[in-house]
């Protein structure tokens, strides 16, 4: 039991030392690469900044157009299924909205027929010469 603990702690110490070595190696490599490449980056920045800007705009445009294309394709596919009568997901909500709009339009039309003459006579009362 005691030897298992010692072996375990020895392994943990060994792993810790390896981790510390890797951290120091990474830090050293980062500092050295910054020291070496900073003058190169500064001297070539008039080339990299416009090139990076153009590349960023080109990639952003391509990705956004691809996304819009996928969205349009998905919408067209949904509409095709809907008009063919295959009832895609969400078609019940579209049908409900269509009936609500038709009912509201019918009620507005009936209301306008019923009260249209009343409002017209009120406008003549407000402006007798009109």
């Amino acid at each position: 039991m005691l030897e298992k603990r010692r072996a375990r702690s020895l392994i943990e110490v060994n792993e810790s030392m390896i981790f510390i070595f890797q951290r120091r190696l990474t830090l050293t490599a980062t500092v050295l690469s910054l020291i070496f490449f900073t003058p190169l980056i500064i001297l070539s920045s008039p080339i990299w900044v416009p090139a990076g800007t153009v590349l960023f705009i080109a990639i952003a445009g391509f990705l956004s157009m691809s996304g819009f294309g996928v969205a349009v394709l998905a919408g067209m596919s949904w509409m095709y299924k809907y008009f063919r009568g295959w009832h895609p997901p969400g078609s019940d909500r579209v049908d409900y909205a269509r009936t609500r709009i038709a009912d509201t339009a019918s009620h507005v039309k009936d209301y306008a027929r019923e009260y249209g003459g009343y409002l017209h006579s009120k406008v003549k009362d407000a402006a007798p010469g009109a």
Side-chain angles (χ1 to χ4, degrees):
M1 183 77 164
L2 184 63
E3 288 186 23
K4 281 187 180 180
R5 284 188 186 172
R6 281 186 185 165
R8 192 177 202 178
S9 65
L10 185 62
I11 290 172
E12 289 174 358
V13 167
N14 217 2
E15 288 175 353
S16 299
M17 294 301 286
I18 290 171
F19 179 67
I20 290 171
F21 174 73
Q22 286 177 340
R23 275 184 35 195
R24 287 183 180 171
L25 187 66
T26 303
L27 182 64
T28 304
T30 303
V31 169
L32 286 176
S33 64
L34 279 175
I35 289 170
F36 180 72
F37 287 116
T38 299
L40 191 64
I41 291 171
I42 291 173
L43 290 175
S44 65
S45 66
I47 297 169
W48 289 110
V49 172
T53 304
V54 168
L55 191 64
F56 173 76
I57 290 172
I59 290 173
F62 175 74
L63 290 177
S64 63
M65 287 300 117
S66 298
F68 293 146
V70 168
V72 166
L73 244 136
M76 295 296 284
S77 170
W78 188 91
M79 287 174 54
Y80 176 76
K81 290 177 184 177
Y82 180 75
F83 289 125
R84 295 285 288 185
W86 294 343
H87 302 293
S91 63
D92 54 338
R93 298 174 88 188
V94 172
D95 292 337
Y96 176 72
R98 185 176 53 204
T99 57
R100 285 282 307 262
I101 291 170
D103 289 345
T104 303
S106 173
H107 291 307
V108 168
K109 186 170 77 172
D110 293 342
Y111 187 81
R113 279 189 186 148
E114 187 176 335
Y115 292 106
Y118 173 75
L119 291 176
H120 190 65
S121 67
K122 287 295 181 185
V123 169
K124 284 187 178 181
D125 291 343

